[in-house]
């Protein structure tokens, strides 16, 4: 909390526009955001938080095998996701529910994934899903996938042509704990050496399950990519304007063939790491209270009120968010069970003899029960 690393921040805790010195080079990006964009940021954060709370309840009631909360990290995600252009590709970790929502993914598919009904949840090749690739629970593994895809964009000739509406980049999300993984270091090496159009977006939520970031890294995470030759910047991850401005700038840098970039979004996981975790075992209540006072939704509401938004808007959004959460709950409770045979589908991109054999075995096994009854 006493770290003096330069941080890009536009909003004060009171919601006033007070950019830090580090924010000056990114300030022009705020002119791109309309009043409708700002309202959409707030609405998305509220809907996602209500969805998150409902999903946590569903897991406790046995409807989901696991849940990974995004509570407290909404601003980092909504700003960065809105900064991506339509042709960009997104590689999430496993708690980027807000990102998925911004890009058009039906959040019900995330519930299905964590209920064990599907291998991937959604089709990343479907344009309706905004080029959002599948969740990856193997910590940091997807950073290599992201860089590989970015190198593919280079080979496809959609990087550095000067056409911002066509050139593409990759936005890769992971947490502070993933920076301790070898895969992430390898991804940084490959990205730097090939100038792959990749923006690494680290949500530093202070805890890799129960290990604090200060134990993982003796220096701020934003400084670590410089050793790989990649520029890094720290932002206030609870300020959606900072998240938007820096991510938009860095993605455009990447698509213009200026090489990869790295963002450390300083935020906090207000909930548990997952539904299997009890953060009261390792977190200091004073630290928790410090970050509750920096709740991104509360801060952004203050900002919108200063801009003239009234009670009606906020009441309408909360009502919509509550209905959204209720609708997701009803969809899960009325979904029924999937056909067990679907577990063999889409394990491989092409038909695979082992999967075919196992699927036939299951069919014969289930048929044997019917034969026994006869």
């Amino acid at each position: 909390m006493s770290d003096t690393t330069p941080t890009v921040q536009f909003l004060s805790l009171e919601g006033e526009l007070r950019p830090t010195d580090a924010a000056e080079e990114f300030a022009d990006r705020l002119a791109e955001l309309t009043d409708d964009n700002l309202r959409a940021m707030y609405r998305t954060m509220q809907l996602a938080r209500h969805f998150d709370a409902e999903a946590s309840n569903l897991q406790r009631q046995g409807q989901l095998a696991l849940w990974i909360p995004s509570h407290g990290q909404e601003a980092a995600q909504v700003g960065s996701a809105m900064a991506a252009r339509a042709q960009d590709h997104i590689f999430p970790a496993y708690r980027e529910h807000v990102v998925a929502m911004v890009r058009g993914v039906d959040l019900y598919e995330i519930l299905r994934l964590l209920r064990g009904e599907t291998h991937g949840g959604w089709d990343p090749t479907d344009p309706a899903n905004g080029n959002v690739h599948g969740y990856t629970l193997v910590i940091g593994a997807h950073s290599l996938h992201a860089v590989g895809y970015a190198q593919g964009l280079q080979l496809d000739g959609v990087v550095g042509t000067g056409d911002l509406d066509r050139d593409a980049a990759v936005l890769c999300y992971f947490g502070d704990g993933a920076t301790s993984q070898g895969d992430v270091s390898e991804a940084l090496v490959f990205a730097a050496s090939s100038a792959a159009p990749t923006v690494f977006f680290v949500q530093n939520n202070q805890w890799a399950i129960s290990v604090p970031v200060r134990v993982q890294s003796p220096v701020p995470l934003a400084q670590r990519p410089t050793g790989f030759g990649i520029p890094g910047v720290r932002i206030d991850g609870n300020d959606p304007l900072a998240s938007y401005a820096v991510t938009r700038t860095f993605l455009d840098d990447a698509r213009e063939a200026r090489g990869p970039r790295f963002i450390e979004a300083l935020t906090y996981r207000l909930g548990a790491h997952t539904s299997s975790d009890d953060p009261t075992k390792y977190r200091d209540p004073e630290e928790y209270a410090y970050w509750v006072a920096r709740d991104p939704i509360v801060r952004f509401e203050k900002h919108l009120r200063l801009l003239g938004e009234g009670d009606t808007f906020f009441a309408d959004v909360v009502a919509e968010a509550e209905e959204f959460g209720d609708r997701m709950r009803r969809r899960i409770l009325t979904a029924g069970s999937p056909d067990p045979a679907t577990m063999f589908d889409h394990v491989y991109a092409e038909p695979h003899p082992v999967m075919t054999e196992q699927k036939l075995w299951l069919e014969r096994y289930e048929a044997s029960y019917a034969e026994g009854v006869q």
Side-chain angles (χ1 to χ4, degrees):
M1 299 177 189
S2 60
D3 192 341
T4 58
T5 302
T7 302
V8 176
Q9 177 185 357
F10 288 99
L11 295 180
S12 69
L13 293 183
E14 294 73 32
E16 298 173 334
L17 201 59
R18 293 182 186 173
T20 58
D21 291 342
E24 291 181 0
E25 65 176 295
F26 304 100
D28 290 347
R29 289 295 190 177
L30 298 190
E32 301 171 1
L33 294 171
T34 65
D35 289 345
D36 284 344
N37 292 147
L38 299 181
R39 285 189 284 266
M41 282 183 171
Y42 179 82
R43 173 184 174 274
T44 302
M45 288 194 288
Q46 278 285 18
L47 263 64
R49 182 166 291 187
H50 280 72
F51 165 78
D52 192 9
E54 194 61 63
S56 295
N57 292 338
L58 286 167
Q59 192 283 329
R60 296 304 189 202
Q61 294 161 7
Q63 296 296 326
L64 304 178
L66 182 73
W67 183 246
I68 306 108
S70 60
H71 189 160
Q73 299 180 218
E74 295 91 353
Q77 294 186 25
V78 75
S80 56
M82 289 182 66
R85 298 181 188 270
Q87 68 272 24
D88 292 336
H89 283 257
I90 314 297
F91 283 77
Y94 48 60
R95 75 173 80 243
E96 281 69 43
H97 318 319
V98 183
V99 175
M101 186 177 188
V102 170
R103 298 291 288 187
V105 174
D106 183 352
L107 297 193
Y108 176 66
E109 296 300 329
I110 300 176
L111 299 180
R112 291 185 66 233
L113 172 64
L114 293 168
R115 202 182 193 208
E117 294 184 0
T118 170
H119 291 298
W122 58 89
D123 180 359
T125 66
D126 185 343
N129 293 322
N131 297 330
V132 177
H133 295 252
Y135 272 14
T136 304
L137 273 71
V138 180
I139 306 298
H142 65 294
S143 61
L144 289 167
H145 309 160
V147 174
Y149 202 96
Q151 291 173 330
L153 294 176
Q154 291 175 310
L155 295 173
D156 287 343
V158 290
V159 179
T161 71
D163 185 353
L164 288 179
D165 293 325
R166 177 176 176 270
D167 286 348
V170 169
L171 180 57
C172 178
Y173 291 89
F174 47 84
D176 49 286
T179 64
S180 299
Q181 292 290 114
D183 285 357
V184 170
S185 291
E186 293 168 6
L188 294 172
V189 168
F190 283 119
S193 62
S194 62
T198 315
V199 174
F200 300 98
F201 193 98
V202 181
Q203 295 177 84
N204 179 0
N205 65 19
Q206 312 301 312
W207 291 94
I209 307 183
S210 59
V211 179
V213 69
R214 65 179 179 275
V215 174
Q216 302 173 65
S217 180
V219 300
L221 298 182
Q223 295 181 16
R224 295 178 68 177
T226 59
F228 298 87
I230 299 175
V233 168
R234 173 183 281 183
I235 68 171
D236 179 348
N238 286 359
D239 178 353
L241 302 186
S243 182
Y244 174 87
V246 176
T247 308
R248 186 75 161 183
T249 299
F250 279 6
L251 281 171
D252 282 351
D253 286 345
R255 82 179 76 255
E256 291 171 4
R258 296 175 186 165
R261 298 289 189 266
F262 186 103
I263 299 170
E264 177 195 5
L266 198 63
T267 182
Y268 195 77
R269 167 171 53 80
L270 291 175
H273 174 71
T274 71
S275 52
S276 300
D277 171 46
D278 180 4
T280 64
K281 300 291 187 181
Y282 55 82
R283 288 204 303 212
D284 183 344
E286 291 186 4
E287 176 189 89
Y288 178 77
Y290 173 90
W291 285 100
V292 166
R294 286 153 177 76
D295 187 306
I297 295 180
V298 173
R299 183 198 293 193
F300 204 58
E301 177 176 335
K302 291 178 181 178
H303 178 62
L304 292 181
R305 286 187 181 278
L306 289 173
L307 294 179
E309 291 293 346
D311 291 340
T312 300
F313 167 75
F314 297 108
D316 287 347
V317 169
V318 170
E320 181 186 3
E322 291 174 347
E323 193 280 329
F324 180 72
D326 289 344
R327 186 166 71 251
M328 287 293 174
R329 178 183 182 80
R330 290 194 299 272
R331 288 176 71 182
I332 279 290
L333 296 180
T334 59
S337 299
D339 181 349
T342 61
M343 75 175 76
F344 303 104
D345 298 337
H346 310 300
V347 176
Y348 294 94
E350 302 293 338
H352 194 285
V354 174
M355 292 297 102
T356 300
E357 179 183 351
Q358 291 183 359
K359 189 171 185 177
L360 290 173
W361 181 92
L362 180 62
E363 291 174 357
R364 290 193 298 267
Y365 178 74
E366 292 183 330
S368 71
Y369 280 90
E371 293 169 359
V373 171
Q374 294 174 357

